[in-house]
Amino acid sequence: MNKFDTAIQEIKYQVIKELIRRADKQDFTDIYIDIPKMISPGPKASLRCCIYKERAIVQDRIKLAMGGDGSNPNVIEVIDSACDECPLDGIKVTSSCRGCITHMCKESCPRDAITIVNHHAVIDKSKCIECGRCKDACPYSAIVQAKRPCVKSCKVGAISMDENKKAVIDNDKCVACGACVYKCPFGAIGDKSFILDILDILRQSADNTAYKVYAVIAPSIVSQFKYAKIEQVVTGLHKLGFYQVVEAALGADITLYKEAIEFKEKGTLTTSCCPSFVMYIQKHFPELEKYISHSVSPMVEAALLIKHDNPDAKVIFIGPCTSKKMEFRQDKIKGIIDNVMSFEELQAFFDAREIDIASLPDTPLDNASYYGRIFAKSGGIAEGITKVAADMGAENVRPVSMNGLEECKINLLKLKAGKSDFNFFEGMACEGGCINGALCLHHGPKNAADVNRYGAEAKEKTIDNSVKLYKMTEERN
């Protein structure tokens, strides 16, 4: 059974797995020579033009897996050595051009970039501004507009090409959703890994005697390790050295409660659960920032509960998000979440330690309610707020689930113009929600069914007990 969707994920996994093994031995000697040779043994190249290029790219992947460029605040980076195989973007005339005599393409061009040569359209690239009008005007669909996959995947226009035709990320626009990481077919864009820092946290805990290390797991995890049960994954986390495993869905229950209260006060609210959605509003719709919920994300709420009773504890969040790797390093979050590990990295961690989670016994996990668990899918928060807000006397909630940044843009534009029919805006940067996060092992529609089942299995059908726990901690402050 394939553990990943793509070969790119497999290569990333191999790099991280070997780094973990080296870290366990405290031996990083010749890693930039040995690991590339292990992954690309040769003598013939299997993926690139030559074995030397393959190994050079692996070397850059090692750097990214060891924390990447420290001067770059973004957790998303371009691997320059891997970014050179995509054709250039642009408007092109294909062989479907019929040489018609109306010349709609030529007439539609605002820059006179199209001429007719031997009855066929020819585009002068020095004049073309790639507006696409000729493409729309052509009755035969003979003109196409090609975009690099990374550019096409980025819904905020943060990716462009430099003078060497390498991808460049504009950090002022980027919301760290990671769509480009998953969509680049050459793996030329990657996320920084902090796995070595996580290993240090676990090692320095001295088997949880110096301090306790907690794993907070995103509810989307139930759709990922398909060859094992979630209860076996929990047992595996204990074997890795975690003291206890807590559901982020517990924090989601509390976030839902707080957002219901805030909605009653404000009347219009955008959710705070997806860091990329919050960044999207802050960077691209700053005039709507007043509507962003002041509640922290479920990840942070769960960690706050842990650290209230165990202030010296360390908390590692495990999930599918590149943006969580940005969130935990924000000044307002520092000291609450100590690090973030992706599902891809967790799989490498299990395998580096030779832990077969499918053979492990079950460890029960039941921290949260149905509503907290379904936060993982698009529409989950909206479903929860409808019920919880009504129970609190706010029956006028009109929620909309914005599935992906394109839907977010449409609905935020309406809110900005004062023409929205909705007053509660659930934003998910990833289409489908967290179940299709960039750092998932698997992506697809079946993941939602897994989350629905996981939610239905929750013993708690309301958020009441989670709220009681939250109130108890508040009373002790």
Side-chain angles (χ1 to χ4, degrees):
M1 178 177 178
N2 291 331
K3 293 180 178 177
F4 305 101
D5 286 341
T6 71
I8 297 298
Q9 290 173 288
E10 178 71 28
I11 294 171
K12 185 199 298 188
Y13 153 83
Q14 289 180 23
V15 169
I16 293 173
K17 182 175 71 172
E18 188 59 25
L19 278 178
I20 294 171
R21 286 175 175 171
R22 293 297 192 101
D24 285 347
K25 297 175 182 177
Q26 291 292 290
D27 180 13
F28 292 98
T29 307
D30 295 330
I31 57 171
Y32 289 105
I33 297 174
D34 295 343
I35 296 178
K37 284 185 176 180
M38 180 195 74
I39 293 174
S40 299
K44 291 184 178 180
S46 59
L47 300 172
R48 298 285 181 162
C49 60
C50 68
I51 195 67
Y52 306 106
K53 180 157 188 171
E54 284 189 0
R55 291 174 180 172
I57 293 171
V58 173
Q59 288 176 340
D60 286 340
R61 289 191 178 281
I62 294 170
K63 295 174 186 175
L64 202 56
M66 296 179 74
D69 180 2
S71 66
N72 183 359
N74 202 338
V75 297
I76 310 295
E77 290 189 13
V78 177
I79 303 173
D80 285 343
S81 60
C83 184
D84 66 352
E85 299 289 347
C86 288
L88 300 182
D89 297 346
I91 303 287
K92 301 177 182 179
V93 180
T94 70
S95 58
S96 298
C97 180
R98 309 314 303 157
C100 64
I101 60 174
T102 56
H103 303 159
M104 292 181 182
C105 58
K106 183 178 185 299
E107 298 302 323
S108 68
C109 181
R111 295 298 178 90
D112 292 325
I114 298 179
T115 55
I116 307 300
V117 179
N118 295 328
H119 305 293
H120 283 73
V122 175
I123 298 175
D124 183 343
K125 291 292 185 180
S126 66
K127 295 181 179 179
C128 178
I129 59 172
E130 300 184 15
C131 64
R133 294 182 187 178
C134 58
K135 174 180 71 72
D136 296 334
C138 178
Y140 293 103
S141 300
I143 300 177
V144 297
Q145 188 169 20
K147 286 187 177 181
R148 287 188 173 190
C150 59
V151 174
K152 189 175 180 181
S153 70
C154 182
K155 306 306 180 183
V156 296
I159 300 180
S160 59
M161 301 300 138
D162 65 13
E163 63 275 8
N164 298 314
K165 304 303 179 183
K166 305 283 189 182
V168 176
I169 298 173
D170 184 344
N171 288 347
D172 291 333
K173 295 180 179 179
C174 178
V175 297
C177 66
C180 55
V181 173
Y182 183 68
K183 292 293 186 180
C184 176
F186 289 95
I189 303 179
D191 59 295
K192 294 176 179 176
S193 174
F194 307 114
I195 191 67
L196 297 184
D197 295 332
I198 293 170
L199 292 176
D200 283 341
I201 289 172
L202 286 165
R203 187 181 301 111
Q204 292 169 19
S205 78
D207 293 327
N208 292 292
T209 58
Y211 51 79
K212 295 177 174 62
V213 185
Y214 289 75
V216 172
I217 57 172
S220 51
I221 197 170
V222 298
S223 66
Q224 296 304 301
F225 296 86
K226 295 181 182 293
Y227 59 93
K229 295 184 292 182
I230 182 61
E231 293 82 3
Q232 292 173 308
V233 175
V234 173
T235 307
L237 286 166
H238 284 296
K239 282 188 166 294
L240 290 176
F242 289 96
Y243 173 74
Q244 191 172 336
V245 180
V246 176
E247 293 184 78
L250 172 61
D253 285 344
I254 297 168
T255 298
L256 188 58
Y257 168 72
K258 287 186 175 182
E259 290 194 344
I261 293 174
E262 197 173 357
F263 170 76
K264 284 185 67 177
E265 294 172 352
K266 289 184 175 180
T268 300
L269 198 69
T270 66
T271 56
S272 60
C273 301
C274 172
S276 289
F277 174 58
V278 173
M279 281 190 279
Y280 183 55
I281 294 175
Q282 291 170 337
K283 292 185 176 185
H284 298 269
F285 291 89
E287 56 275 277
L288 301 181
E289 193 168 350
K290 61 185 178 181
Y291 296 120
I292 298 174
S293 171
H294 293 154
S295 301
V296 295
S297 68
M299 170 185 81
V300 179
E301 285 289 6
L304 285 170
L305 282 178
I306 293 168
K307 293 205 172 184
H308 182 273
D309 291 328
N310 300 275
D312 295 329
K314 303 292 184 183
V315 179
I316 310 298
F317 176 76
I318 302 173
C321 303
T322 50
S323 62
K324 288 295 184 185
K325 292 186 176 185
M326 287 287 284
E327 183 185 13
F328 97 92
R329 300 199 300 173
Q330 294 174 356
D331 289 338
K332 63 181 180 180
I333 306 300
K334 284 182 179 177
I336 302 174
I337 295 292
D338 295 280
N339 219 305
V340 170
M341 184 194 312
S342 71
F343 293 151
E344 294 173 336
E345 291 160 351
L346 179 57
Q347 182 66 72
F349 202 174
F350 283 140
D351 293 346
R353 295 277 176 90
E354 297 182 350
I355 297 172
D356 177 15
I357 57 175
S359 67
L360 298 177
D362 293 355
T363 298
L365 183 71
D366 198 24
N367 303 130
S369 77
Y370 163 79
Y371 290 110
R373 287 181 170 183
I374 65 170
F375 264 49
K377 66 171 185 175
S378 177
I381 305 173
E383 181 178 342
I385 199 70
T386 301
K387 173 69 169 60
V388 174
D391 289 346
M392 296 173 64
E395 297 183 355
N396 63 326
V397 60
R398 299 185 304 279
V400 57
S401 300
M402 300 177 291
N403 187 9
L405 288 176
E406 288 182 321
E407 288 190 10
C408 290
K409 181 178 181 179
I410 292 170
N411 283 280
L412 291 177
L413 283 170
K414 290 180 180 179
L415 176 60
K416 180 180 175 180
K419 297 181 178 180
S420 177
D421 295 327
F422 306 104
N423 56 17
F424 186 90
F425 298 79
E426 174 205 301
M428 294 281 193
C430 298
E431 293 185 10
C434 305
I435 53 176
N436 285 321
L439 306 183
C440 282
L441 308 182
H442 306 283
H443 301 73
K446 291 183 179 179
N447 292 350
D450 291 332
V451 168
N452 287 336
R453 173 183 52 78
Y454 185 49
E457 290 173 353
K459 293 179 181 178
E460 301 294 336
K461 303 304 178 185
T462 71
I463 68 170
D464 293 349
N465 282 339
S466 299
V467 173
K468 286 178 183 176
L469 178 61
Y470 162 71
K471 288 182 177 180
M472 286 172 57
T473 59
E474 287 295 291
E475 289 171 0
R476 293 200 299 267
N477 283 343

